[in-house]
Amino acid sequence: MGQRPLRSTAGGNLPSELGRFIGRGGELAELGRLLESSRLVTVTGVGGVGKSRLALAAARAASEGSQERYCDGAWLAELATVRDPALLELALAEALELTDHTTRPPRTVLAEHLAGRRLLLVLDGFEQLVDECADLVRELLRRCPGLHVLAVGRRPLALDGELAFPLAPPAPEEALALLAARASAADPGFAVTAENRGTLVELCDRLDGIPLALELAAGRLRTLSPAQVLARLEDRFALLTGGARGGLARHRALRTAIGWSHELCTPAERLLWARLSVFAGQFDLDAVEYVCAGPDLPVEDVLDLVGELLAQSLLVREETPAGVRFRMLETVRVYGAGWLESLGDAGRLRRRHRDWYVGLATWCELDWFSPRQQEVAALVEAELPNIRLALECCLDEPDEGHLGQYLAGTLWFYWAGCGRLAEGRHWLDRTLEPADHAVEYETSRLKALWVLGYVAALQGDAAASMSALYECRDGAAQSGNTVAAAYAAHRMGCLALVSDDMARARELLGAALEQYRAAGELNSNVLMCQVELGMALAFLGDLPGALGLCGEVREICEERGERWTKAYALYVLAYAALDAGRTQEARRLLSECVAINHVFHDLVGLVLALELLALVTVAEGDAAEAAVLQGAAEPMWGGVGLQLFGSGYFNAPRLMCREQAGELLGAERYAAYEAEGRELSREALVGRALRDPEERGAGGVPRQAGRPRGSRVSTGAAAEQPQP
């Protein structure tokens, strides 16, 4: 239940089953039949009854058994941590690993992405946004005929054509098997015997067979006998049922199980449980120690208390790319949140939570300019639900909007470097909404402004970018903030670069670079400014100047362990190598560039590198493979933005590749290879791009002998036309 998805393959992103799936054979078969009858099926039931686990098992079975119906796979979107309706579409796009850098509404992007696909989308945990989720699902189903949705929640979406599947607790024998399996996992010496079987059956009956309740009870069987567990449960049953008179017995039974677990916790364990409820999704031990410790909960005791909550199945331990992390099931978290509110300590804990993630973002920004760049990206991705909560807290607290501006601005490297432009734009716009701002926090506002200008420029929204950057420039001049002034000039130069105004880009980027050096500023932004200046020089025909700037950046990046900016420097160096006819060197540089951009999900850098690599492939004599690469890269432009797509300079390699490969192959064969490329997944495309040319030839890909005419890259103002 509630497992985090793994990285996707071509067949989707469903997580592997972590534990043995016990029973539910009849329900699984019935749910499979419903999925064949309707495009929208919703599994409903009380919290803890096993909805998520059953839905995932059904989705796996459906995607494996109906490969024609779900040829584009089965995908899981976990929505329990999404509280802001504006982030619903972004959460779905994230689950589908859909990157879009444009200003198009996320709903439009989703609909266009899904329109021509046949897939099964599992939506889990939508209760807090049921109306918004229903509206989105209605529109996607209407616009995307190949889409099927399996929703999981405590209530249906109430849409036309929806089939609801109310999930009851498992049958008594299945409940006993589940209890025994979980108890054996906690204590290998546990076994169902003739002596304890009757007691265990009664225990299952008392807990109404609800899987979450059984798992909590199983955690207690590590230290108590079945008879002791049953006796303690019976003693508290009347006290702990809770809920309104006449409520469903299953709701009372679940609350009984959780409340009983709460009663059996020590006071310190209860306190930690309540305080952990301020987290969303996963969290690590360092965060727990900072947020939850205090005079009444010494920091040195936190590790042991976390271990006790794990042993009692109140916490889940998970291995992630960001290291060992913990998670609390949503039903358990909500119970703890109620206790935290009753203690009157919720506001203070939320502020401590916010402070931790503001500090974490600060350290991550510093660590971005280091060999730990990839680990930083993984950490921020893992912490995104908690960062969202921290941003909401900044916006909700009176007079603390400046912290939201600081946090949204500090995360520039994640928004721009890790394919999160749309979400970054959302938070930057929200934190900058108030027109009035305190002078003492002007630095935070100026940073948010230049980051907004940067993000908007990369989205192709020139008007919003220029507005933010002018405001930043003027504010920096009034306050004497030379660093903010440098960033404003830099991002104005970046906007000129992607708008094909190379002369102005050269002027602004050169001035910004001088200002950075005068201020002693050195980080990934400064190096990117130098790379962008190199790009402008290369496009203007000054390849020696571009080589000097980007060669220096490459050396600094290798010395500091910085990879993201290095990828852009490699692109410029490859551009120059190809122009000089050094195709082998250009391929080597671009292969590294593609690999880095893929790791960081940087769509802008990836598509630029792939298109230049396609042109290199033509120069090597393999027009067929070049057409495949070009065909695969072309759809990616839709997610980059109209400014770059319409740029004569950035667009030149694509036009040259199309003309030269088309001449060698003929229009019909070129179109066939290009269509083949459009069918490649992102993973498959990158793997293909990184293959050695000899390896590629051995694999049976048809090659076209002979060097095409005009292998030089066009560098003049007339970059729209290939150079003869």
Side-chain angles (χ1 to χ4, degrees), residues 391-622:
L391 283 160
E392 288 287 358
C393 182
C394 296
L395 292 168
D396 290 343
E397 290 286 331
D399 304 321
E400 292 191 352
H402 64 280
L403 285 174
Q405 293 170 0
Y406 173 82
L407 180 53
T410 296
L411 290 166
W412 66 265
F413 62 92
Y414 186 62
W415 312 137
C418 301
R420 294 283 187 173
L421 292 179
E423 178 148 2
R425 180 72 181 270
H426 168 78
W427 291 114
L428 290 160
D429 282 338
R430 284 192 64 188
T431 59
L432 287 165
E433 276 175 4
D436 56 327
H437 52 278
V439 174
E440 61 266 33
Y441 302 124
E442 180 72 1
T443 299
S444 295
R445 183 173 180 81
L446 292 176
K447 185 170 189 177
L449 283 168
W450 73 253
V451 175
L452 174 58
Y454 182 21
V455 167
L458 292 177
Q459 288 184 304
D461 190 349
S465 176
M466 193 57 71
S467 175
L469 293 173
Y470 275 133
E471 185 178 347
C472 179
R473 183 197 63 182
D474 295 345
Q478 291 173 9
S479 62
N481 191 325
T482 57
V483 173
Y487 279 102
H490 174 187
R491 294 310 165 191
M492 286 179 181
C494 175
L495 180 60
L497 181 71
V498 299
S499 302
D500 274 3
D501 190 349
M502 293 303 153
R504 180 165 171 76
R506 177 176 56 188
E507 176 188 349
L508 287 168
L509 292 168
L513 198 56
E514 290 181 7
Q515 290 174 282
Y516 281 141
R517 289 169 176 166
E521 192 88 346
L522 180 61
N523 54 37
S524 297
N525 272 304
V526 175
L527 294 180
M528 187 62 82
C529 180
Q530 190 163 330
V531 170
E532 288 163 350
L533 179 57
M535 284 183 178
L537 293 180
F539 290 145
L540 290 171
D542 183 4
L543 289 177
L547 284 171
L549 287 170
C550 293
E552 182 182 5
V553 169
R554 182 184 185 182
E555 290 177 6
I556 296 173
C557 287
E558 290 175 348
E559 178 185 331
R560 299 294 187 112
E562 211 278 3
R563 299 177 65 205
W564 175 64
T565 308
K566 178 185 175 183
Y568 284 88
L570 294 175
Y571 171 82
V572 179
L573 295 174
Y575 185 98
L578 177 60
D579 191 81
R582 300 192 301 272
T583 55
Q584 188 174 1
E585 178 186 349
R587 170 170 290 280
R588 178 174 51 80
L589 293 166
L590 287 169
S591 294
E592 186 177 358
C593 181
V594 166
I596 294 171
N597 285 317
H598 183 54
V599 164
F600 290 112
H601 310 291
D602 186 341
L603 193 60
V604 174
L606 182 60
V607 69
L608 289 175
L610 284 168
E611 291 205 333
L612 192 58
L613 185 61
L615 188 56
V616 169
T617 307
V618 173
E620 291 171 335
D622 194 346

Side-chain angles (χ1 to χ4, degrees), residues 121-433:
L121 179 60
V122 183
L123 301 179
D124 193 5
F126 59 79
E127 288 88 354
Q128 73 284 2
L129 296 172
V130 63
D131 292 335
E132 294 84 357
C133 192
D135 180 65
L136 176 59
V137 169
R138 180 191 297 109
E139 182 171 348
L140 290 179
L141 288 173
R142 180 177 60 82
R143 297 177 61 180
C144 310
L147 173 65
H148 290 70
V149 176
L150 176 57
V152 184
R154 300 193 184 188
R155 53 174 288 187
L157 289 167
L159 296 176
D160 291 340
E162 177 183 22
L163 294 181
F165 182 73
L167 183 63
E173 283 301 315
E174 289 184 356
L176 178 59
L178 176 61
L179 177 63
R182 300 299 181 253
S184 297
D187 176 12
F190 176 85
V192 179
T193 66
E195 291 75 20
N196 67 19
R197 183 182 179 86
T199 304
L200 292 170
V201 168
E202 188 174 352
L203 179 59
C204 292
D205 181 64
R206 183 66 75 172
L207 294 175
D208 233 7
I210 297 174
L212 175 57
L214 295 175
E215 295 198 15
L216 294 173
R220 289 296 172 186
L221 289 170
R222 187 169 62 101
T223 53
L224 300 174
S225 71
Q228 287 174 315
V229 171
L230 182 61
R232 287 170 178 260
L233 184 62
E234 287 179 331
D235 289 344
R236 291 159 176 79
F237 195 90
L239 175 65
L240 295 171
T241 52
R245 188 179 299 276
L248 289 175
R250 288 170 190 156
H251 286 271
R252 295 199 302 272
L254 178 61
R255 185 166 180 82
T256 295
I258 297 178
W260 166 68
S261 289
H262 190 266
E263 284 254 319
L264 290 180
C265 287
T266 65
E269 290 166 3
R270 293 179 203 164
L271 185 59
L272 181 59
W273 179 350
R275 291 180 177 178
L276 287 173
S277 69
V278 300
F279 290 98
Q282 299 174 333
F283 45 86
D284 64 13
L285 183 62
D286 290 339
V288 174
E289 289 176 335
Y290 177 87
V291 175
C292 300
D296 49 355
L297 195 64
V299 67
E300 58 269 18
D301 295 346
V302 168
L303 176 58
D304 289 338
L305 292 171
V306 167
E308 287 301 315
L309 294 180
L310 280 169
Q312 297 169 50
S313 299
L314 294 165
L315 282 181
V316 178
R317 180 184 184 275
E318 297 181 339
E319 295 279 353
T320 76
V324 174
R325 306 179 69 74
F326 306 99
R327 180 173 50 84
M328 186 173 276
L329 295 179
E330 184 65 11
T331 306
V332 176
R333 189 199 67 79
V334 170
Y335 190 96
W339 275 88
L340 188 63
E341 290 288 349
S342 69
L343 293 171
D345 205 20
R348 184 183 71 86
L349 263 294
R350 291 189 188 107
R351 288 188 292 274
R352 283 188 67 80
H353 174 277
R354 175 206 63 201
D355 292 346
W356 171 261
Y357 287 101
V358 169
L360 180 73
T362 301
W363 280 108
C364 284
E365 182 186 30
L366 294 172
D367 250 6
W368 182 254
F369 189 50
S370 79
R372 294 176 294 280
Q373 212 167 45
Q374 189 171 344
E375 289 82 353
V376 168
L379 176 59
V380 178
E381 183 170 348
E383 294 288 12
L384 189 56
N386 284 299
I387 289 171
R388 289 168 175 164
L389 274 187
L391 283 160
E392 288 287 358
C393 182
C394 296
L395 292 168
D396 290 343
E397 290 286 331
D399 304 321
E400 292 191 352
H402 64 280
L403 285 174
Q405 293 170 0
Y406 173 82
L407 180 53
T410 296
L411 290 166
W412 66 265
F413 62 92
Y414 186 62
W415 312 137
C418 301
R420 294 283 187 173
L421 292 179
E423 178 148 2
R425 180 72 181 270
H426 168 78
W427 291 114
L428 290 160
D429 282 338
R430 284 192 64 188
T431 59
L432 287 165
E433 276 175 4

